[in-house]
Every structure is written in structure tokens, then in C-alpha cells.
Amino acid sequence: MKNYVKLVDFELKRFMKIYLALIGIVIISQIVGVIVESNQFMNLANGEMLDGSMNLAQFLETYWPLTMSRILFSSWFILPVGLSAAALIFYCFFIWYRDWFGKNTFIYRLLMLPTARINILLAKASAIFLMVLGLVSIQLILLPIENIIFQTIVPLDLRVDMTIREIVNVSGYTGYNGYLQMLLPTSIVQFFINYGIGFMTVFTLFTAILFERSYRIKGIIFGVAYCIFALVIFLSPFIIEVFSEFGYFYPEELFIIEVILGIIVTGISIWVSHYLLNRKVTV
């Protein structure tokens, strides 16, 4: 356990500069976005009402009151979140290939450490998971601050106040920001579903990468085939539903089956990765 914790700490420190830059981009972009979008709305309202072409009721009927969920749909929010997601997906590959192709071929030293090689796999996955949770925590802290800024700029007559829970739920229901409901699930069950699928995906990608590192050119084929295999296994109940004339499973049954299949796919990925690290990836 001590070696595992040290490896997690080591992996986090290696990515920390880029990670802090991502956090900075998210914070600056979102706060600036709230200020810019709110001021643009106020300029529009002042322009329409001060020249006498519209009164308050007509303006609200035409443009609707401003809400935080509308602001969250702007590129000020979507782009930094998308950038962070893309960076972490890229890091799933970089966290391994950097060790092989970086300075002094660090993977050789890493594999010779006096610890079980499974700890290397688990530490890399844990580092990514912790970074995802860190970004989600930043978003949870930012939303109340952004809501206060929004309420400070836009007067009550021109806005609709919402709680953080309402912002996340309404965003998902209206199709504005489905990503918010994915990142900030409003129930513990949905949290485990969303992040469990994410964890399963990370381990599947790690297994594909280790196939490539173990068998090189053939490993690319093995890795792609394994990803397809994992996807088919996980989605098999939905595939059965599509090809069956009537609904084959009840919703509760489908949920339980998907949870079991997710655990199975994750377990297989960890087992295969462990096997490759111990038997095929050599120093």
C-alpha cells in the first residue's frame, strides 16, 4: 500500500504543471464568461428599453429572462471543459508512452522498482481518477461563485434565480448542458454509474496500450480487438434489446446486468493488464 501511494503521488506530480494550467483556464474562462455574457445581456436590455422601442414586459417576452443555464451553454464554459476532457483522455496514453519514449526510458526504472507491477497500473489509473475528481470539485466550487456574479450584474427583473441543483438539472433537461449532469450527477447512484463507466474505460484503454507495448505492431490489432470486445460485452444487453422484437429486459434488470458487466469488463482489463505487465512487458 505504501508503494502504491508513493506511485500515485509521483504520477500526480509529473502532470501537476499541466493540470494546474487546465484548472487556471477553467476558472478564468468561466468567470470571464459569466461577466461577459451577463454584460452583453444588460447592454441588449438597455439598448432595447432606453430607446423606447420596448418596455420591460415586451423585452422579456422577446428575449426571455437570463438564467445561469443559458450562460453555461456558451463557449466560455463548453470549450474549457472540453479542453480538460481532451487533455485527460490524451493523458491516458501519455501517462504510459512518456515512460517508454521520454528521457532515459523511464519505464525500465519503473518496472524494476521493488513493488508488485500491478501497483504501477493502479497508480496510473488512480492518478487520472483523482485529477478528474479535482476538476469536478473545482466546478462545484465555481458554480456558486459564478451564480453570485451573475446575480450581481443582472437585476432581479431580468433574471431567473436558480439553485445549483436546478442549474444542473435544468441544463440537462433542456439539452443545454448534458455534460453538467454527467460531471455533476445529482444522486449517488448516478455518480457511481457515470464514474464507474469512466473508470472501466480507462482500464480498457490501459489494456489496449499494454497490448501494443507487449506485441508492437500485432499489439495494435490486439488492442483494438480488445476494445471492441469490451464494448460488445458491456453493450450486449442493449444489442439484444435492439434485435429482439419486444423489450427483453425490464429497466431494473437492465441496470443490474450493466453493473455486473461493467465490473466484469473492469476485472478482465485489470487481470489482462496485470498479466501483460508481469509476463510480456520486460525491462
Side-chain angles (χ1 to χ4, degrees):
M1 178 60 71
K2 184 178 179 180
N3 290 330
Y4 161 74
V5 173
K6 286 183 177 180
L7 285 169
V8 173
D9 179 65
F10 175 72
E11 292 292 348
L12 289 173
K13 287 179 179 177
R14 296 174 83 188
F15 192 62
M16 190 54 61
K17 290 182 181 179
I18 299 175
Y19 185 63
L20 291 177
L22 286 175
I23 291 176
I25 290 171
V26 170
I27 293 174
I28 294 171
S29 178
Q30 291 194 4
I31 290 179
V32 170
V34 173
I35 295 171
V36 170
E37 293 291 328
S38 298
N39 280 321
Q40 284 181 347
F41 184 80
M42 288 306 301
N43 291 336
L44 175 64
N46 291 332
E48 293 289 354
M49 290 188 288
L50 290 179
D51 65 6
S53 60
M54 284 186 178
N55 57 34
L56 178 61
Q58 291 171 329
F59 177 82
L60 294 177
E61 184 178 352
T62 303
Y63 295 101
W64 296 88
L66 188 61
T67 64
M68 269 299 296
S69 60
R70 282 172 59 184
I71 295 177
L72 294 179
F73 185 54
S74 69
S75 57
W76 294 99
F77 281 77
I78 294 176
L79 290 181
V81 171
L83 175 65
S84 299
L88 289 174
I89 292 172
F90 170 76
Y91 193 63
C92 289
F93 295 90
F94 184 70
I95 199 172
W96 286 103
Y97 286 106
R98 171 190 55 190
D99 293 339
W100 263 277
F101 300 114
K103 186 178 180 181
N104 299 325
T105 318
F106 185 77
I107 188 64
Y108 296 149
R109 295 166 56 194
L110 197 60
L111 292 176
M112 292 179 68
L113 290 174
T115 183
R117 291 187 177 182
I118 189 67
N119 286 334
I120 299 172
L121 172 76
L122 296 177
K124 290 180 183 294
S126 299
I128 291 174
F129 187 63
L130 288 174
M131 285 186 281
V132 170
L133 290 182
L135 285 171
V136 171
S137 300
I138 293 296
Q139 188 64 78
L140 279 172
I141 294 170
L142 279 176
L143 281 175
I145 297 172
E146 292 161 356
N147 206 23
I148 292 172
I149 295 173
F150 161 70
Q151 293 172 355
T152 301
I153 297 174
V154 182
L156 183 60
D157 290 341
L158 294 174
R159 70 174 194 257
V160 174
D161 290 336
M162 307 169 71
T163 65
I164 303 304
R165 189 184 186 91
E166 288 171 338
I167 291 171
V168 174
N169 285 337
V170 171
S171 297
Y173 295 150
T174 59
Y176 278 153
N177 294 304
Y179 74 89
L180 267 185
Q181 279 198 325
M182 183 171 63
L183 293 175
L184 307 173
T186 53
S187 70
I188 189 66
V189 173
Q190 195 62 47
F191 173 85
F192 282 112
I193 291 173
N194 293 357
Y195 289 94
I197 292 174
F199 220 55
M200 178 189 71
T201 303
V202 168
F203 277 116
T204 302
L205 285 177
F206 280 5
T207 306
I209 291 168
L210 289 173
F211 267 122
E212 188 278 328
R213 289 289 83 200
S214 299
Y215 299 99
R216 299 305 191 265
I217 300 299
K218 290 192 298 183
I220 297 175
I221 299 173
F222 293 157
V224 172
Y226 179 78
C227 289
I228 294 172
F229 163 79
L231 186 65
V232 170
I233 291 297
F234 184 66
L235 296 180
S236 56
F238 296 102
I239 297 173
I240 294 173
E241 289 278 290
V242 170
F243 287 99
S244 62
E245 187 174 352
F246 303 101
Y248 197 79
F249 301 108
Y250 290 109
E252 295 82 2
E253 294 175 333
L254 193 61
F255 172 75
I256 294 172
I257 292 171
E258 283 300 301
V259 170
I260 295 172
L261 289 177
I263 293 172
I264 290 173
V265 170
T266 302
I268 292 174
S269 296
I270 293 173
W271 181 83
V272 172
S273 296
H274 187 208
Y275 172 81
L276 292 173
L277 278 171
N278 281 332
R279 302 294 179 86
K280 298 301 179 182
V281 177
T282 58
V283 177

